[in-house]
């Protein structure tokens, strides 16, 4: 993974984004990132298995020594035989890059291909790279030549041991990049095990191989895209888009927009849910019930009512934040298709049952002992709020397209909404399991608790500390639950594929 060289910093204001002047770039474009390089041998003397006309495609990587513009850059040529050569290339006044290196090489028999002598001569490599295309100050393609000249060493005096000379011409193209950004619904929350570095004491981004972006990249894309997977649980426009996420520090998370650049072919994201405080709303609206008659022993109806009443203002604030994010993404990834996925339906809008939605049930000797439920009217209210939130996301996409078209009238429409509702069977389809019979299989994970948490819940239940069960024991569980299952993420990947 690499941090791309980008345009200037973002200010989360739609007006500012539209009026901001383009960032200045050095006269020479920067070489950065990984390129697919087609190599053709045009001169070949005493080189085994690589005659004139021999061609291959190798991977070259460039790591500039500066944050922006053209500068001395470390280049590594990864060969298909598993070897690699690393040296420094520097820009000249014409915007081209040159460099050289040398190393000891073995002598091979021209007739048998066997090694005659190790360190028989010194290979000197000289490379010239001419950028042929660039975007926003970064090279996107190049051409050039690589000359390899062998000089005999004292050891290289055996018969049939001649130094090799070779000239290779090449063309390099930056591979298409897929930047998978967003929050927990894009990271794959709930689908452990998580990728290294995203499930530590200091970093709980919880990126999973089961996330829709990974499913899409593995099963749908052709040709393959270079993956930049930086979605993170808890991410929001205000905490993660243009600033480092303060909650994820070991390893740290860069601002998500820093992973956007001109070589991006595809950008996907889900954003906005954390602006609406869904986990805390669900927690406040949960009732603790005991026994076979589901006697309510704790509920915080006043907090639940206040949370639901605050939703319209939170949705409006979310809309403004998302509008700025989408406009910024269009500028930062000028060549990418950008797909914004809606949130899948978490709770059914319509149910046959009038009872509460049971999100957790514990039995003792075959009888219900503990139930956590959300009242039926609250479930319907929450499903309606989610509809409104998804509509606000759609509105922000439409408005961003309209505003961007004003500033870039010749640019094709690249930002598009991917509504995953129908992929989940509609508003009352593969939602969370509320304990209703005859419902479609749930594609949303239920409330999940770890064994250590279950022990604490049992202790608080025994001592009748009912409020503590929700406010302390299960506080983190709400953030980690109610996310798509593997089947749900697969459905999101299929919807994404259809949009492309």
């Amino acid at each position: 993974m690499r941090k791309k060289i980008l345009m200037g910093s973002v200010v989360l204001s739609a007006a500012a984004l539209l009026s901001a002047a383009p960032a200045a770039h050095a006269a020479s474009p920067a070489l950065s990132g990984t390129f697919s390089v087609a190599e053709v041998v045009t001169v070949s003397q005493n080189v085994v298995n690589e005659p004139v006309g021999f061609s291959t495609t190798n991977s070259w990587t460039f790591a500039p020594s500066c944050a922006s513009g053209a500068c001395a850059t470390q280049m590594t040529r990864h060969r298909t035989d598993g070897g690699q050569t690393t040296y420094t290339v520097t820009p000249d006044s014409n915007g081209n890059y040159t460099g050289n290196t040398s190393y000891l090489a073995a002598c091979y028999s021209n007739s048998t291909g066997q090694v005659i002598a190790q360190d028989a001569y010194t290979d000197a490599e000289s490379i010239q790279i001419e950028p042929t295309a660039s975007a926003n100050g970064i090279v996107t393609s190049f051409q050039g030549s690589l000359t390899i000249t062998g000089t005999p060493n004292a050891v290289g005096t055996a018969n049939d041991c001649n130094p090799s000379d070779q000239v290779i011409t090449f063309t390099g193209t930056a591979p298409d990049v897929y930047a998978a950004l967003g929050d927990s619904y894009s990271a794959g929350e709930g689908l452990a095990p998580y990728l290294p570095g995203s499930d530590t004491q200091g970093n709980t981004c919880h990126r999973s191989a089961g996330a829709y972006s990974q499913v899409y990249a593995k099963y749908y894309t052709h040709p393959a895209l270079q993956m930049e997977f930086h979605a993170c649980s808890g991410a929001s426009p205000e905490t993660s888009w243009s600033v480092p996420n303060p909650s994820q520090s070991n390893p740290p998370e860069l601002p998500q927009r820093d992973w956007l650049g001109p070589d991006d072919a595809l950008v996907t994201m889900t954003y906005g849910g954390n602006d609406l405080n869904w986990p805390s709303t669900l927690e406040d609206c949960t009732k603790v019930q005991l026994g076979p008659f589901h006697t309510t022993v704790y509920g915080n109806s006043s907090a639940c009512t206040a949370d639901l009443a605050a939703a319209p203002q939170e949705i409006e604030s979310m809309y403004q934040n998302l509008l700025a994010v989408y406009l910024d993404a269009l500028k930062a990834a000028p060549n990418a298709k950008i797909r914004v996925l809606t949130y899948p339906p978490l709770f059914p809008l319509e149910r046959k049952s009038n009872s509460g939605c049971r999100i957790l049930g514990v039995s003792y000797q075959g009888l219900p002992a503990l139930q956590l439920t959300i009242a039926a009217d609250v479930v319907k209210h929450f499903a309606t709020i989610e509809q409104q939130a998804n509509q606000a996301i759609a509105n922000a996409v439409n408005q961003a397209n309209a505003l961007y078209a004003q500033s870039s009238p010749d640019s094709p429409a690249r930002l598009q909404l991917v509504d995953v509702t129908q992929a989940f069977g509609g508003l009352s389809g593969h939602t969370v399991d509320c304990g209703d019979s005859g419902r479609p299989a749930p594609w949303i994970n239920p409330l999940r608790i770890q064994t250590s948490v279950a022990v604490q819940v049992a202790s608080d239940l025994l001592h009748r500390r009912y409020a503590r069960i929700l406010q302390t024991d299960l506080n983190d569980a709400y953030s980690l639950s109610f996310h798509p299952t593997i089947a749900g993420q697969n459905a999101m990947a299929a919807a994404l594929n259809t949009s492309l």
Side-chain angles (χ1 to χ4, degrees):
M1 298 298 182
R2 70 190 188 282
K3 183 176 185 292
K4 300 178 183 176
I5 299 174
L6 300 168
M7 298 183 293
S9 60
V10 59
V11 178
L12 283 180
S13 161
L17 286 167
L18 285 172
S19 61
H25 297 287
S28 300
L31 267 177
S32 178
T34 301
F35 286 74
S36 176
V37 182
E39 305 177 5
V40 179
V41 176
T42 57
V43 174
S44 183
Q45 295 180 348
N46 304 316
V47 180
V48 177
N49 297 328
E50 293 187 8
V52 171
F54 175 81
S55 63
T56 186
T57 300
N58 290 322
S59 175
W60 295 14
T61 57
F62 298 90
S65 60
C66 56
S68 62
C71 60
T73 299
Q74 179 176 288
M75 170 193 150
T76 302
R77 177 180 173 232
H78 303 273
R79 301 192 303 274
T80 52
D81 63 5
Q84 65 181 42
T85 307
T86 299
Y87 47 96
T88 299
V89 294
T90 56
D92 60 23
S93 58
N94 295 319
N96 300 325
Y97 286 77
T98 60
N100 55 73
T101 189
S102 62
Y103 49 86
L104 294 174
C107 175
Y108 293 82
S109 168
N110 289 332
S111 57
T112 67
Q114 301 298 312
V115 175
I116 295 176
Q118 296 287 351
D119 300 339
Y121 54 88
T122 299
D123 268 351
E125 291 192 8
S126 175
I127 192 169
Q128 292 184 325
I129 301 174
E130 176 189 353
T132 54
S134 63
N136 294 321
I138 302 175
V139 175
T140 56
S141 65
F142 57 74
Q143 63 184 15
S145 62
L146 172 64
T147 301
I148 306 173
T149 303
T151 302
N153 296 328
V155 71
T157 58
N159 293 333
D160 198 29
C161 189
N162 299 308
S164 62
D165 294 315
Q166 196 173 43
V167 176
I168 299 171
T169 61
F170 54 79
T171 56
T173 305
D176 290 336
V177 175
Y178 175 8
L181 310 178
D183 57 21
S184 55
Y185 288 79
S186 293
E189 179 65 71
L191 301 180
Y194 301 112
L195 301 185
S198 69
D199 187 27
T200 69
Q201 188 173 1
N203 187 310
T204 55
C205 282
H206 289 175
R207 286 186 277 266
S208 170
Y212 69 82
S213 61
Q214 309 307 290
V215 175
Y216 173 79
K218 184 174 182 179
Y219 293 107
Y220 289 103
T221 57
H222 182 77
L225 296 170
Q226 178 179 323
M227 174 59 65
E228 297 279 13
F229 187 21
H230 299 285
C232 182
S233 291
S236 73
E238 294 178 299
T239 65
S240 305
W241 180 251
S242 61
V243 296
N245 190 326
S247 300
Q248 316 293 348
S249 58
N250 187 22
E253 292 289 319
L254 296 172
Q256 289 197 8
R257 64 98 59 202
D258 278 16
W259 296 102
L260 298 181
D263 53 348
D264 289 322
L266 176 63
V267 177
T268 60
M269 66 180 78
T270 54
Y271 256 138
N274 289 307
D275 285 4
L276 306 181
N277 300 309
W278 280 349
S280 61
T281 298
L282 291 175
E283 178 184 323
D284 288 341
C285 293
T286 299
K287 295 180 179 180
V288 179
Q289 298 178 331
L290 301 180
F293 299 105
H294 312 316
T295 303
T296 299
V297 294
Y298 177 78
N300 194 347
S301 59
S302 59
C304 176
T305 300
D307 290 343
L308 297 176
Q313 182 58 45
E314 291 171 342
I315 290 174
E316 174 58 27
S317 177
M318 178 196 74
Y319 165 82
Q320 297 296 337
N321 288 336
L322 292 180
L323 176 58
V325 165
Y326 301 156
L327 286 169
D328 190 35
L330 284 165
K331 290 189 172 221
N335 303 307
K337 294 180 179 179
I338 303 174
R339 296 295 181 262
V340 174
L341 281 73
T342 63
Y343 290 99
L346 301 185
F347 292 91
L349 182 64
E350 301 293 341
R351 299 171 60 211
K352 295 180 181 179
S353 173
N354 292 323
S355 62
C357 177
R358 186 183 66 215
I359 59 175
L360 181 69
V362 179
S363 298
Y364 178 72
Q365 294 184 348
L367 295 175
L370 169 67
Q371 281 197 144
L372 300 183
T373 64
I374 300 176
D377 61 329
V378 173
V379 168
K380 189 165 186 175
H381 194 158
F382 190 87
T384 301
I385 289 174
E386 188 180 14
Q387 275 188 284
Q388 295 168 348
N390 279 335
Q391 184 59 56
I393 293 171
N395 293 344
V397 167
N398 293 335
Q399 181 66 2
N401 277 327
L403 292 173
Y404 191 74
Q406 294 175 11
S407 60
S408 304
D410 296 329
S411 176
R414 298 181 289 110
L415 176 65
Q416 183 175 322
L417 184 78
V418 180
D419 191 339
V420 303
T421 303
Q422 293 308 312
F424 275 71
L427 296 171
S428 299
H430 297 278
T431 62
V432 74
D433 183 4
C434 284
D436 303 337
S437 60
R439 297 269 307 138
W443 289 355
I444 301 295
N445 283 323
L447 184 66
R448 290 182 162 187
I449 59 175
Q450 298 176 340
T451 302
S452 58
V453 174
V455 171
Q456 186 59 52
V457 168
S459 174
D460 287 336
L461 187 62
L462 179 64
H463 293 89
R464 300 183 180 181
R465 296 191 293 252
Y466 304 127
R468 180 183 168 86
I469 292 175
L470 296 179
Q471 296 173 357
T472 302
D473 302 345
L474 300 178
N475 184 58
D476 291 338
Y478 280 88
S479 296
L480 305 178
S481 306
F482 307 113
H483 288 81
T485 63
I486 285 290
Q489 290 284 355
N490 288 347
M492 295 173 76
L496 171 62
N497 181 62
T498 300
S499 77
L500 295 167

